[in-house]
Amino acid sequence: MIVHHADPAAEFPTRERCHILELLNRPETPDLSVARCRVEPGVTTELHALTGTAEIYVLLEGTGLMEDGAGTWQPVGPMDCVEIRAGAPQRIRNTGAGDLLFLALCRPRFEPPAYEPLE
């Protein structure tokens, strides 16, 4: 068993307009990465896709709208899971008064070259 401890001070802002705390993203675990994402109130993340990487968002706190890149927005909130296929356009908007927090589970693990900005 291996326990990975994340340091909250290691959270970093991204060009996507959200803040990321990597919980698990190691070459030794190539099939999966897990990150905590934080989107501030009123912010919509950059429309983007992940080439060759599928994601599942697990909503923890806050409320938002998830877009598929075709103008279809769906409400999301705590305990919702959003499946995003590899290469699919996506973005999320925080519609609440507090931070929108969710986990992003990526298969295979997220690597920066997979990020494709669409704006």
Side-chain angles (χ1 to χ4, degrees), residues 92-105:
I92 194 165
R93 175 181 299 150
N94 182 347
T95 59
D99 287 343
L100 178 63
L101 294 176
F102 57 95
L103 298 178
L105 289 73

Side-chain angles (χ1 to χ4, degrees), residues 15-17 44-48 90-92 115-119:
R15 69 164 286 158
E16 185 185 351
R17 298 186 287 272
T44 301
T45 61
E46 178 178 55
L47 184 64
H48 67 284
Q90 59 171 300
R91 65 178 154 188
I92 194 165
Y115 188 89
E116 179 184 352
L118 300 174
E119 290 185 358

Side-chain angles (χ1 to χ4, degrees), residues 39-64:
V39 179
E40 295 174 342
V43 171
T44 301
T45 61
E46 178 178 55
L47 184 64
H48 67 284
L50 296 183
T51 303
T53 303
E55 280 188 284
I56 297 175
Y57 285 2
V58 180
L59 281 287
L60 302 173
E61 294 180 23
T63 57

